[in-house]
């Protein structure tokens, strides 16, 4: 009696699969033979060498592709316990520490004594334990997780070191996927035969014969097409991979490799990420039942995901548990696990991004610093210089005070007034805070690094720093007491047409010292100084050395007044260099990046390059001090009824053409910063920098410096002398007098013989725009 069509089709399918596995078995025998004679058969060597190279690249985390990519995680800086008590308490609050006296548990601090029990956590030097004992680095408040960078493949994968993998997970994987893993050479002939027999008896394709080595090979090559050629190639490579890596390293790679589920648009891969996804625990803490569940869903996570298909997952789990019992696992433990229900729910794996603007800068810096295969494939822990206390203060002040200023000015822009600010540590040159009031999504346009606007007069200190740099004789070309003309003049250097700049306040004088010229922001003084120094070409070369992107700078004299375009990051890099005794600041958020195996893949050491001589940096800093003490930056100390910063500060205002961009750059011994204020589309703000960006900078400094003792810059390299502010000579009775810095061996050149008009006895009053409104109350 002939078989019915409904019964004959499964039988034919089984026979086809049987033939396939017969061919595969024969092929695997050949592969095994080749493996044994790999050093004898020359044609095998290319396969063996290619597999070895591929294996090593994956083992070294030097490659990234679908099936093998590890997200990078970004962290803030730790906080030293040596900080002054008020600041230490602020740092602890930013990390969510509970204030208890005396502290009894990790995560508690006493605000009156400073006693603290540390949480420990992830540091660049390695994971530190909770509590204050057993640390391998100096005690500190832990870094804060800022966010993660997932590669273009959209895979969430966390490295699970073999030594942290619980025995229940390792045994469950072997029971589910490759019971003879430690017995075969990468291809399991016995397993192939057994699978053929099971499939034949069950009349269906219920059991495969891919070993862990074959699955690791498949993850490395990315080949998944169903073909005999691919299967044979995979078998051959599996033997080579197994031989090259060894069993433990193959198993180590397997712990990180397989696809185990989905979270939104992201693929969840590897057992560590999967344990967090389904059970909310780290892999070392998995129970027997949980480990068996993860191993059980390997063939088809979409069908057996325990959070969506608990019954299907339980059926598969129980099969794995029974195999574990058959292979020798304690039967009592297995029976208890079999009685447990499958309880799983989705847990968020990617942290919410903190501080989007800073995170955006850090991500951009990482992608520029390391190859993409390292950024996306090495599982980096990227430790930044971010100080959460400074960052939160910057965000709060900019959010509140820019809205206050927006109500104060007669702006003509469309949309709200915007601001971007960046602060760096002059001692390290690293970026400690950055914020863009319009940036909510870290993938958006970041004005800190991507916006290029004219800096106006805030760029003038670059011209003065060039003047204070050594000339051919090794001495500064100019000193602050040097004088230049400050009268209307037509310049023809650097452009086809004559350029006739004017002073913004319409005050002119036959000559003015460099010190007073910067303090008053005299345009003619800066232009004449640049003309003396050789025009735009030496300035462009000098600015490039300082870290400015000068590719778009016009080769015109207008550069002396800030007609090039810059970013806030470039401006803070310059002022941090000045404040840091001339050492070239990186203004980078990155400090060190460590891969999943603990290898340092990037390090941003403290700069030893002198972009400015210490002498030039000192003189530039000294005349920038006069800007705040005697010139256009006075409102850093307070304005609009709101007190600003009262400690020692140097700085410079900058108002671009038609008040479209308002800047202030400046520094204390602790923080160098740059702040920009303007509109999305350039338009008149309705106020000068002294009315808008300078007081904003002062409010920022007051907030970020809270809890720190005031410090002063080291000015021991100069002598401050009262001389004629215009000529730099000893003052006569009619001279406007200014305390100007002199080098130790620099002498006053003589006595001023000029008779100065009465109106020059004091600096002119600051320009107050007629459009400024009465100050509304602060929010």
């Amino acid at each position: 009696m002939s078989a019915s069509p409904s019964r004959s089709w499964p039988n034919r399918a089984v026979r086809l699969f049987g033939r396939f596995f017969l061919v595969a078995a024969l092929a695997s025998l050949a592969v095994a033979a080749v493996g044994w004679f790999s050093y004898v058969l020359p044609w095998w060597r290319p396969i063996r060498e290619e597999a070895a190279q591929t294996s090593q690249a994956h083992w070294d985390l030097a490659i990234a592709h679908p099936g093998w990519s590890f997200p990078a995680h970004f962290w803030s800086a730790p906080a030293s316990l040596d900080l002054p008590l008020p600041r230490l308490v602020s740092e602890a609050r930013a990390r969510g520490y509970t204030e208890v006296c005396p502290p009894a548990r990790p995560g508690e601090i006493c605000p009156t004594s400073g006693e603290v029990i540390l949480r420990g956590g992830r540091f660049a030097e390695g994971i530190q334990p909770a509590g204050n004992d057993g640390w391998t680095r100096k005690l500190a408040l832990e870094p804060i997780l800022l966010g993660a960078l997932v590669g273009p493949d959209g895979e969430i994968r966390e490295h699970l070191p073999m030594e942290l993998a619980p025995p229940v997970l390792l045994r469950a994987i072997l029971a589910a996927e490759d019971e003879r893993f430690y017995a075969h050479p990468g291809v399991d002939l016995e397993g192939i035969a057994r699978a053929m027999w099971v499939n034949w008896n069950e009349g269906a394709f219920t059991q495969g014969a891919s070993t862990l080595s074959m699955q690791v090979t498949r993850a490395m090559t990315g080949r998944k097409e169903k073909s005999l050629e691919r299967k044979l190639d995979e078998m051959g490579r599996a033997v080579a991979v197994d031989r090259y890596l060894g069993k433990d390293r193959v198993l180590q790679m397997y712990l990180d490799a397989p696809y185990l589920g989905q979270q939104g648009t992201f693929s969840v891969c590897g057992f560590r990420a999967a344990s967090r996804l389904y059970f909310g625990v780290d892999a070392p803490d998995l129970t027997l039942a949980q480990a068996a569940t993860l191993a059980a869903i390997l063939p088809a996570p979409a069908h057996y995901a325990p959070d969506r298909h608990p019954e299907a997952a339980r059926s598969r789990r129980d099969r794995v548990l029974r195999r574990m019992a058959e292979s020798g696992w304690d039967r009592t433990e297995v029976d208890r696990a079999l009685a447990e229900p499958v309880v799983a729910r989705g847990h968020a794996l990617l942290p919410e991004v903190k501080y989007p603007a800073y995170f955006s800068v850090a991500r951009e810096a990482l992608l520029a610093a390391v190859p993409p295969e390292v950024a996306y494939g090495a599982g980096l822990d990227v430790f930044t210089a971010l100080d959460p206390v400074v960052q939160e203060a910057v965000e709060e002040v900019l959010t509140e005070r820019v809205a206050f200023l927006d109500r104060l000015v007669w702006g003509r822009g469309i949309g709200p007034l915007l601001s971007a600010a960046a602060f760096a540590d002059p001692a390290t040159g690293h970026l400690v805070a950055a914020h863009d009031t319009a940036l909510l999504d870290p993938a958006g346009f970041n004005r800190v690094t991507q916006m290029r606007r004219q800096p106006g007069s805030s760029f003038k200190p670059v011209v003065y720093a060039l003047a204070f740099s050594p000339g051919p004789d090794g001495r500064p070309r100019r000193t602050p007491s040097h004088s230049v003309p400050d009268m209307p003049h037509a310049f023809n250097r650097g452009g086809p047409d004559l350029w006739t700049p004017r002073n913004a306040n319409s005050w002119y004088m036959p000559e003015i010292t460099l010190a007073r010229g910067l303090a008053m922001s005299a345009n003619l003084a800066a232009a004449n100084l640049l003309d003396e120094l050789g025009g735009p070409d030496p300035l462009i070369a000098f600015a490039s050395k300082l870290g400015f992107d000068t590719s778009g700078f016009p080769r015109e004299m207008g550069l002396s007044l800030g007609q090039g375009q810059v970013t806030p990051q470039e401006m803070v890099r310059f002022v941090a260099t000045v404040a840091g005794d001339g050492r070239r600041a990186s203004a980078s958020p990155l400090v060190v990046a460590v891969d999943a195996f603990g290898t340092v893949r990037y390090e941003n050491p403290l700069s030893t390059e002198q972009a400015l001589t210490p002498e030039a940096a000192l003189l530039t800093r000294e005349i920038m001090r006069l800007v705040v003490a005697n010139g256009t930056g006075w409102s850093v100390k307070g304005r609009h009824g709101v007190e600003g910063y009262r400690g020692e500060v140097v700085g410079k205002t900058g108002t671009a053409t038609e008040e479209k961009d308002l800047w202030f750059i400046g520094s204390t011994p602790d923080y160098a910063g740059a702040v920009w204020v303007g509109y999305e589309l350039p338009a008149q703000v309705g106020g000068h920098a002294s009315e808008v960006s300078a007081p904003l900078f002062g409010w920022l400094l007051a907030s970020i410096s809270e809890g720190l003792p005031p410090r002063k810059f080291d000015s021991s390299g100069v002598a401050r002398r009262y001389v004629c502010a215009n000529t730099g000579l000893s003052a006569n009775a009619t001279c406007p007098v200014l305390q100007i810095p002199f080098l130790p061996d620099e002498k006053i050149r003589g006595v001023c013989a000029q008779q100065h008009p009465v109106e020059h006895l004091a600096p002119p009053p600051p320009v107050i725009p007629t459009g400024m409104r009465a100050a509304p109350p602060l929010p």
Side-chain angles (χ1 to χ4, degrees), residues 168-186:
V168 289
L169 178 61
L170 298 177
R171 185 69 70 88
I173 292 171
L174 296 181
E177 294 294 307
D178 195 350
E179 291 179 312
R180 288 177 24 83
F181 173 67
Y182 281 99
H184 62 65

Side-chain angles (χ1 to χ4, degrees), residues 247-271:
K247 292 295 184 181
D248 286 346
R249 293 211 293 177
V250 168
L251 185 54
Q252 170 65 85
M253 290 187 67
Y254 188 79
L255 289 174
D256 295 334
Y259 170 76
L260 284 163
Q262 200 75 18
Q263 185 163 87
T265 59
F266 296 105
S267 299
V268 179
C269 305
F271 288 92

